[in-house]
C-alpha cells in the first residue's frame, strides 16, 4: 500500500512538474530569440555597431549610447509594426536588450527589464521614445537629422498619391477656374471643381500658397457638398465612407462603453447621458443644453483621445477645452457675420447653428474667418468633413 501511495504521489509530482519545465524551456527560447533579434537589428542599423562595441569594451553603455540604442530599436518597431506596436512586441524588445546587455538588467525589479518597458504602467525608455515620436508626428515637425527614426509627417503635410481622371492644367485649368466664378449651374460647378482637383491639391500642399485656396476657389463658400467631393477624391469612395458606415453599429457603442470607464466629471457625464438618450428625447433640463446623441458620442472621442502635451509656448489643454475648440454653437437667431470677427487662431472648427444644441439645423467649417457650408446636417457628416 505504501509503495502504491508513493508511486501515485511520485506520478503526481512528475505530472505537475512537466508543464513548469516546458514553460521554462519556452521562456528560454523566447529570450534567446529576442536577444538574437536585438543583435541583428543593431548590427544592421547605422550606429548600432558602435553601441555593441562600447559594451564589449566597457561592459556598460553611456546615456548617449543607451538613447541611440533605444532610438534604433523603436525605429525598427515602427518600420515593421507601425506607430503603435503591441505590448508583447515592446516587451520582447525590452527582454532582448537585457539578454544582449546583461549588466543593464535591473536586479531589483520583477523581470529585470521594466526600466526599458513596463507593460503594467506603459512606462520605460521604449514607451517614452514612442511617445516622443507620436508627439512630433502630431506637430508635423521633423526629428533631428542624426536621429535613426525616420517618418513622414501626417495630416495636411502628408503627400498622398492621388489619381483622378480628366484633370485640367495650364490654360484649360485657368479657364475652368474663371468659369467657376461666374456660373450658377450647380452640376457644372461640381464638374469643374472635380476637374481642377489636382491643381487645388498643389495649392493646399504648398505652404506659401495654401492661404489662397478659398480665394482661388470661392465656390466652397456658397456651394454645399464641394468639401465632401474633394474628400472622396482624396481618399476614394471606400475609405471616405468607412467612418459613416461603421459608426452607429460598431464605433459609437464602444466609444460610450470606454467613456464610462474614465474618471467621471460633470461634462463627461452630460455627454454620456446625451449619447445614450434616444433620438429626439431632450426634455430634461440636463439634456436641453447638450448636443444631440450623435454629436455627444463624437465629442466623447476627445475625452478618450486627449490633446497631446503642449510645448513651452502652447501648454496642454483639457478635453473640455478641446471640445470648445472643435465645435462652437451659434444660435440661429443671431447673425453669422457677428461671429466671424471674434474668431481667433487659424485652426478650423465646426460652427453648429440651430435654435439649441440638441437641434442643430446646419454646420459650417470655419476657417480663416470664412464659413464653408457642409452638405450634411448630420453632425457625423460635418465632423467627417473636418
Amino acid at each position: 500500500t505504501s509503495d502504491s501511495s508513493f508511486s501515485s504521489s511520485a506520478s503526481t509530482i512528475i505530472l505537475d512538474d512537466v508543464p513548469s519545465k516546458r514553460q521554462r524551456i519556452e521562456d528560454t527560447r523566447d529570450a534567446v530569440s529576442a536577444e538574437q533579434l536585438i543583435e541583428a537589428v543593431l548590427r544592421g542599423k547605422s550606429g548600432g555597431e558602435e553601441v555593441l562595441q562600447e559594451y564589449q569594451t566597457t561592459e556598460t553603455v553611456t546615456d548617449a549610447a543607451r538613447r541611440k540604442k533605444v532610438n534604433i530599436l523603436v525605429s525598427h518597431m515602427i518600420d515593421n509594426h507601425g506607430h503603435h506596436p503591441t505590448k508583447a512586441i515592446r516587451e520582447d524588445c525590452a527582454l532582448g536588450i537585457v539578454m544582449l546587455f546583461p549588466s543593464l538588467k535591473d536586479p531589483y525589479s520583477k523581470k529585470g527589464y521594466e526600466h526599458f518597458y513596463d507593460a503594467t504602467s506603459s512606462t520605460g525608455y521604449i514607451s517614452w521614445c514612442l511617445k516622443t515620436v507620436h508627439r512630433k508626428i502630431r506637430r508635423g515637425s521633423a526629428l533631428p537629422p542624426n536621429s535613426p527614426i525616420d517618418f513622414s509627417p501626417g495630416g495636411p503635410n502628408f503627400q498622398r498619391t492621388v489619381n483622378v481622371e480628366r484633370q485640367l492644367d495650364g490654360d484649360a485649368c485657368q479657364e475652368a477656374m474663371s468659369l467657376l466664378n461666374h456660373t450658377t449651374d450647380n452640376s457644372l460647378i461640381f464638374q469643374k471643381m472635380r476637374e481642377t482637383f489636382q491643381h487645388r491639391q498643389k495649392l493646399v500642399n504648398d505652404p506659401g500658397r495654401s492661404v489662397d485656396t478659398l480665394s482661388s476657389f470661392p465656390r466652397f463658400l456658397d456651394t454645399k457638398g464641394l468639401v465632401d467631393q474633394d474628400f472622396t477624391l482624396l481618399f476614394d469612395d471606400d475609405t471616405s465612407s468607412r467612418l459613416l458606415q461603421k459608426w452607429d453599429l460598431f464605433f459609437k457603442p464602444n466609444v460610450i462603453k470606454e467613456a464610462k470607464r474614465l474618471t467621471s466629471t460633470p461634462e463627461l457625464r452630460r455627454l454620456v447621458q446625451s449619447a445614450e438618450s434616444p433620438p429626439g428625447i431632450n426634455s430634461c433640463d440636463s439634456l436641453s443644453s447638450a448636443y444631440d446623441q450623435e454629436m455627444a458620442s463624437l465629442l466623447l472621442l476627445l475625452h478618450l483621445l486627449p490633446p497631446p502635451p503642449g510645448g513651452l509656448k502652447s501648454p496642454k489643454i483639457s478635453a473640455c477645452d478641446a471640445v470648445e475648440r472643435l465645435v462652437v454653437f451659434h444660435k440661429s437667431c443671431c447673425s453669422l457675420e457677428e461671429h466671424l470677427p471674434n474668431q481667433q487662431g487659424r485652426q478650423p472648427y465646426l460652427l453648429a447653428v440651430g435654435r439649441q444644441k440638441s437641434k442643430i439645423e446646419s454646420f459650417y467649417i470655419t476657417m480663416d474667418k470664412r464659413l464653408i457650408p457642409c452638405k450634411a446636417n448630420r453632425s457625423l457628416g460635418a465632423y467627417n468633413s473636418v
Side-chain angles (χ1 to χ4, degrees):
T1 305
S2 61
D3 290 343
S4 63
S5 298
F6 176 80
S7 176
S8 175
S9 176
S11 299
T12 302
I13 292 173
I14 292 172
L15 288 173
D16 289 345
D17 196 41
V18 168
S20 62
K21 285 184 177 180
R22 185 182 297 117
Q23 184 64 47
R24 285 198 297 271
I25 293 173
E26 291 177 354
D27 289 346
T28 301
R29 288 175 179 171
D30 290 343
V32 172
S33 177
E35 177 185 358
Q36 293 173 345
L37 175 62
I38 296 303
E39 183 175 8
V41 172
L42 291 177
R43 292 194 184 280
K45 297 285 187 178
S46 175
E49 285 283 0
E50 298 175 8
V51 176
L52 292 170
Q53 186 61 44
E54 178 180 311
Y55 184 79
Q56 291 173 0
T57 304
T58 64
E59 293 190 357
T60 186
V61 293
T62 62
D63 287 343
R66 186 256 305 157
R67 287 192 294 269
K68 181 184 294 184
K69 171 181 60 185
V70 172
N71 281 346
I72 291 172
L73 297 174
V74 167
S75 174
H76 175 79
M77 278 195 291
I78 290 175
D79 289 341
N80 289 273
H81 305 287
H83 287 89
H84 299 280
T86 64
K87 287 186 177 182
I89 292 172
R90 303 182 197 192
E91 204 161 13
D92 284 346
C93 181
L95 171 62
I97 291 173
V98 297
M99 289 294 295
L100 186 60
F101 304 93
S103 67
L104 301 184
K105 187 173 183 178
D106 182 4
Y108 302 104
S109 64
K110 183 178 180 180
K111 298 180 179 179
Y113 54 74
E114 285 86 343
H115 53 303
F116 283 100
Y117 179 69
D118 185 352
T120 304
S121 59
S122 292
T123 57
Y125 296 128
I126 292 173
S127 283
W128 298 330
C129 184
L130 282 168
K131 289 177 181 177
T132 298
V133 174
H134 296 163
R135 184 167 62 250
K136 290 182 179 294
I137 291 175
R138 283 192 293 262
R139 292 178 179 174
S141 59
L143 289 171
N146 60 348
S147 172
I149 297 178
D150 182 28
F151 62 89
S152 299
N157 295 323
F158 185 69
Q159 301 294 318
R160 296 177 175 86
T161 301
V162 181
N163 295 314
V164 181
E165 297 179 353
R166 297 184 61 185
Q167 291 296 290
L168 302 176
D169 57 11
D171 292 341
C173 181
Q174 294 300 319
E175 290 177 6
M177 292 171 62
S178 177
L179 176 62
L180 280 168
N181 292 335
H182 300 94
T183 184
T184 57
D185 185 333
N186 206 55
S187 61
L188 187 59
I189 290 174
F190 275 85
Q191 176 191 334
K192 294 304 177 183
M193 287 291 284
R194 179 185 177 87
E195 292 174 350
T196 55
F197 172 76
Q198 206 78 31
H199 174 75
R200 193 158 49 255
Q201 281 298 294
K202 294 179 181 178
L203 285 180
V204 171
N205 292 312
D206 185 342
R209 303 173 63 196
S210 59
V211 294
D212 299 328
T213 304
L214 291 180
S215 57
S216 299
F217 295 93
R219 301 323 296 256
F220 276 121
L221 304 175
D222 61 15
T223 308
K224 292 182 179 181
L226 292 179
V227 172
D228 185 60
Q229 176 175 267
D230 271 20
F231 189 80
T232 301
L233 292 174
L234 186 61
F235 293 102
D236 73 57
D237 289 324
D238 180 59
T239 304
S240 61
S241 62
R242 192 170 298 162
L243 176 63
L244 292 170
Q245 290 174 348
K246 295 186 177 182
W247 179 258
D248 289 329
L249 294 178
F250 179 75
F251 291 119
K252 183 164 70 173
N254 284 286
V255 167
I256 296 172
K257 178 181 176 182
E258 292 299 323
K260 289 182 176 180
R261 297 179 181 178
L262 299 176
T263 302
S264 182
T265 64
E267 174 63 19
L268 186 61
R269 287 195 299 270
R270 186 159 50 248
L271 287 174
V272 170
Q273 187 180 8
S274 296
E276 290 188 315
S277 65
I281 303 298
N282 61 341
S283 56
C284 63
D285 293 338
S286 60
L287 294 182
S288 60
S289 60
Y291 285 109
D292 63 12
Q293 182 191 50
E294 199 167 65
M295 177 59 81
S297 58
L298 283 167
L299 295 180
L300 284 174
L301 281 174
L302 295 179
H303 289 265
L304 295 175
L305 307 172
L312 295 176
K313 296 182 180 179
S314 55
K316 183 176 180 179
I317 63 174
S318 67
C320 292
D321 290 334
V323 168
E324 294 177 357
R325 297 189 185 191
L326 177 63
V327 184
V328 176
F329 174 69
H330 185 81
K331 285 193 174 183
S332 53
C333 59
C334 301
S335 171
L336 290 174
E337 300 301 324
E338 296 176 0
H339 171 79
L340 293 177
N342 298 323
Q343 181 191 2
Q344 296 180 354
R346 299 185 61 187
Q347 185 68 30
Y349 61 88
L350 278 178
L351 186 67
V353 180
R355 291 170 292 170
Q356 55 190 36
K357 286 185 175 181
S358 58
K359 294 182 180 179
I360 301 301
E361 299 165 2
S362 56
F363 287 93
Y364 295 86
I365 300 172
T366 309
M367 183 174 66
D368 297 337
K369 295 191 175 183
R370 295 182 179 183
L371 297 175
I372 303 174
C374 295
K375 177 182 179 181
N377 288 338
R378 294 182 65 207
S379 54
L380 183 58
Y383 186 92
N384 202 28
S385 297
V386 176

